[in-house]
Amino acid sequence: MYSKIAKLLGVIIIFMQLAGCGEVSEQSVDSSVNTDAETTESLSTLLGFPKEDNSGKVFRILSSTNKSYEYDAEEVTGDVVNDAVYEKNAAVEDYFGISFEFIYEDDTWANRSSFNNLITQDVMSGSGMYDLVSAITVCTMPAALEGIFIEGNNLPYCDFTKPWWIHDMYSRFSIDGKLYGFIGDASLSLYKDMTVVFFNQRIWDNYNKPNPYDLVRNNEWTIDKMIELTTDMASDLNGDGKYDSENDQLAYLAEQVPNGTFQTSLELKVVDIDENGAPIYLGLSEKFVTAYDKMLAFHKNPGVVTMSTIDDATYKSMKTFAEGNVATMVNFIYSTEYLRDMVDDYGILPMPKYDSNQEKYISQLGTSTSMLYVPATTNDIELTSKVMEALCYYSSELVVPKYYEVALKEKYARDADIAQMLDIIRDGATFDFLFAYGAGCLSNAPNSYFRFGNTDTTDIASNFASLEASFTASLEKLIETYENLDN
């Protein structure tokens, strides 16, 4: 994917040169986008539809205040990511002859009902206020049960096989062959909220550990290998016989919610999708139990610490890693925003595989990732589907590279290993079914076992069995509801 991005970096460079020469007008930025006839024809082929003129038609997007950085760039400011978002918006407006209007509302967990009611009321009234919705997965996906969104197969110009979309949405989390929320590169939170493994290069070198990048490339980066390599990298620096994040060197630091996504990365499916798009309940597998027991034992080792510091907004796990006394950390990729001044060099790896037979490295998307939803009353379904496609394409070409350059400082530009790892991570980015629907749609969904903490289950089979009846009943109800949706 990023090799394709590199081919269009010339566009970005021209834009940034303009931005560096004083004030840049909207007209001058717009004139740098798609003015060459050959480029426009090439884009038409790539996107699957030609440039068109809708005479400045207003296109309204209801979006999340919490994720406003994905669209909110009203002018060129000199901030690299802001200006890339501005250029992306301008490019899409220019390609379709439209004018964006963004309506921002709070769609965090506490306010999800109010946010979703805006869409429901719009659809019920038939007013067509919103052409597109961009909202947090865990908060707005449940609203699909109300039949207010348009199913993906009815979006004529969305090609979900293109690299700027998450490629396995239908095979991973559709229901009855239907999907109402879509994740692509238009959502920068896709990149910020992926779970990855960070490692401290100095500590790994001090312990003469193998090059972890080579392990990834050689298909040897597995859960067993990660446990084997990291367990002995704890050091009781103050000699008090204890291991804590303030005074000692930790072998492994887990932010609790990202750590829970081992369930996805190790392919521990409880629900799968068959060839007809129907969810199939698999139950608790021997593989699931084996992986859980391994990780439970690992988390009992000295210097293996779990924190929950995202919800309280202290981000202590990220800051602790930045101080240089943590060998390995599992966290969201936006941790890089807290590592810019880290003295030690660090690396980024995909989440490990279960074993070498696993097809690819898989990174779970955060349930806080933005999805695109199309209200049933969108004014022009053809135009909306085209805008979705173009937003994802232009974001992949213009915004994502700039985000990585800023988030990783100069590391992204100079470190071929990092760039390759990010390709692998993005290629394996996905949702497991339970994470897509676990909150708001399903009861007692078994999707939090791998978070670990102070109340870990020692008998997972017994615990799973105690919740199974409630979960399977809610799953059956969810499937039945989707079967009856018409849009």
Side-chain angles (χ1 to χ4, degrees), residues 2 6 22 51 70 102 117-118 129 144 149 169 180 190 214 227 248 263 285 306-307 333 369 384 401 408 431 477:
Y2 293 100
K51 187 175 180 179
E70 295 179 331
F102 299 103
N117 283 339
L118 293 173
M129 174 66 70
F149 297 130
M169 292 184 290
Y180 295 93
L190 181 167
D214 289 339
I227 292 172
D248 301 305
Q263 185 168 326
S285 66
T306 299
M307 293 183 179
I333 202 167
T369 303
T384 294
L408 297 173
F431 268 118
K477 183 178 180 180

Side-chain angles (χ1 to χ4, degrees), residues 51 80 141 159 163 168 170 181 202 244 254 278 334 355 394 402 432 462 471:
K51 187 175 180 179
V80 173
M141 179 68 98
D159 184 351
D168 58 358
Y170 273 86
R202 175 185 59 80
D244 63 78
Y334 70 77
D355 58 30
Y394 277 110
K402 289 301 178 185
D432 177 81
S462 176
F471 168 68

Side-chain angles (χ1 to χ4, degrees), residues 203-224:
I203 296 176
W204 276 61
D205 289 346
N206 286 346
Y207 282 80
N208 296 314
K209 299 295 183 179
N211 184 331
Y213 296 131
D214 289 339
L215 294 176
V216 173
R217 286 187 280 258
N218 295 334
N219 197 34
E220 297 173 358
W221 180 235
T222 65
I223 188 62
D224 287 337

Side-chain angles (χ1 to χ4, degrees), residues 4-155:
K4 284 183 268 185
I5 291 174
K7 294 177 183 177
L8 290 180
L9 281 179
V11 176
I12 302 173
I13 293 171
I14 292 172
F15 175 75
M16 296 309 297
Q17 288 173 338
L18 289 170
C21 295
E23 185 176 351
V24 181
S25 68
E26 292 187 20
Q27 289 77 17
S28 66
V29 172
D30 287 343
S31 67
S32 71
V33 179
N34 293 337
T35 56
D36 182 82
E38 184 177 342
T39 300
T40 301
E41 183 178 354
S42 176
L43 278 174
S44 298
T45 301
L46 186 63
L47 291 173
F49 43 82
K51 187 175 180 179
E52 61 187 65
D53 185 3
N54 287 282
S55 302
K57 177 181 180 179
V58 175
F59 190 96
R60 296 183 179 88
I61 299 179
L62 175 63
S63 186
S64 164
T65 303
N66 192 46
K67 306 291 183 183
S68 61
Y69 59 80
E70 295 179 331
Y71 300 100
D72 189 10
E74 296 183 357
E75 60 183 13
V76 173
T77 65
D79 177 87
V80 173
V81 177
N82 173 87
D83 294 355
V85 171
Y86 180 91
E87 187 184 10
K88 174 257 296 182
N89 291 345
V92 178
E93 287 179 321
D94 178 77
Y95 198 82
F96 297 110
I98 61 175
S99 176
F100 280 132
E101 179 181 334
F102 299 103
I103 301 99
Y104 297 101
E105 298 287 347
D106 185 352
D107 73 335
T108 52
W109 183 254
N111 294 285
R112 65 193 185 283
S113 294
S114 297
F115 182 93
N116 294 339
N117 283 339
L118 293 173
I119 311 166
T120 302
Q121 291 167 9
D122 179 59
V123 172
M124 294 299 111
S125 68
S127 63
M129 174 66 70
Y130 312 118
D131 296 290
L132 185 63
V133 174
S134 176
I136 294 173
T137 298
V138 71
C139 297
T140 300
M141 179 68 98
L145 297 172
E146 300 176 27
I148 60 176
F149 297 130
I150 293 175
E151 202 281 314
N153 288 304
N154 296 322
L155 300 173

Side-chain angles (χ1 to χ4, degrees), residues 324-427:
N325 278 328
V326 178
T328 308
M329 177 178 72
V330 167
N331 218 321
F332 291 129
I333 202 167
Y334 70 77
S335 300
T336 56
E337 297 169 23
Y338 295 85
L339 307 181
R340 291 171 188 162
D341 298 323
M342 183 172 174
V343 175
D344 289 343
D345 201 7
Y346 69 88
I348 301 175
L349 306 170
M351 294 289 280
K353 295 181 177 183
Y354 180 81
D355 58 30
S356 59
N357 295 318
Q358 186 170 312
E359 181 181 354
K360 65 194 310 183
Y361 295 100
I362 297 171
S363 291
Q364 166 81 36
L365 297 165
T367 55
S368 55
T369 303
S370 296
M371 272 187 170
L372 296 178
Y373 310 83
V374 181
T377 47
T378 188
N379 290 298
D380 184 339
I381 194 169
E382 291 193 356
L383 178 60
T384 294
S385 62
K386 290 176 182 176
V387 169
M388 291 169 66
E389 193 77 6
L391 281 171
C392 288
Y393 165 73
Y394 277 110
S395 292
S396 72
E397 300 295 346
L398 302 177
V399 180
V400 174
K402 289 301 178 185
Y403 169 70
Y404 275 142
E405 284 183 23
V406 170
L408 297 173
K409 228 173 175 180
E410 72 277 5
K411 182 183 288 290
Y412 177 61
R414 75 166 194 266
D415 192 335
D417 289 319
I418 285 282
Q420 183 184 20
M421 293 302 113
L422 292 173
D423 272 351
I424 293 170
I425 291 164
R426 172 58 177 84
D427 184 58

